[in-house]
Amino acid sequence: MPLFKKRSVGKPGEWYYCLEHKKVEEGPDCPAKDRFGPYASRSEAERAMETARERNLQWENDAKWRDAPAGERDDG
């Protein structure tokens, strides 16, 4: 019998999207480095990649996060 039991990090009812297996999982079955979440519902976890793409586009087009060209500084 092992001295320490493997403990899951999540709570029942939390959903994750596994980046390695490309599937939705209830509870954290895969390591944190390989998953997005937690999400409140299965449907939110199913949209994880779409949500990430949408957020990336928003951040890429956000003027506050654009790097100024070399030698210029944007104080605005």
Side-chain angles (χ1 to χ4, degrees):
M1 183 163 136
L3 203 54
F4 298 100
K5 292 183 180 180
K6 181 181 174 189
R7 295 176 60 193
S8 64
V9 177
K11 300 173 188 161
E14 288 182 336
W15 294 89
Y16 297 84
Y17 182 81
C18 176
L19 299 166
E20 184 173 328
H21 299 113
K22 297 180 179 20
K23 68 175 189 164
V24 173
E25 303 171 341
E26 184 175 13
D29 290 338
C30 293
K33 68 179 182 66
D34 294 331
R35 67 177 190 252
F36 284 161
Y39 296 95
S41 69
R42 180 180 187 90
S43 61
E44 285 181 43
E46 288 171 344
R47 293 192 62 236
M49 295 305 292
E50 184 179 339
T51 301
R53 275 190 294 277
E54 290 170 358
R55 289 179 180 168
N56 285 344
L57 272 173
Q58 288 173 349
W59 292 333
E60 288 169 6
N61 294 313
D62 186 340
K64 292 183 286 187
W65 293 104
R66 290 200 168 213
D67 291 334
E72 290 183 27
R73 184 172 168 184
D74 183 17
D75 292 329

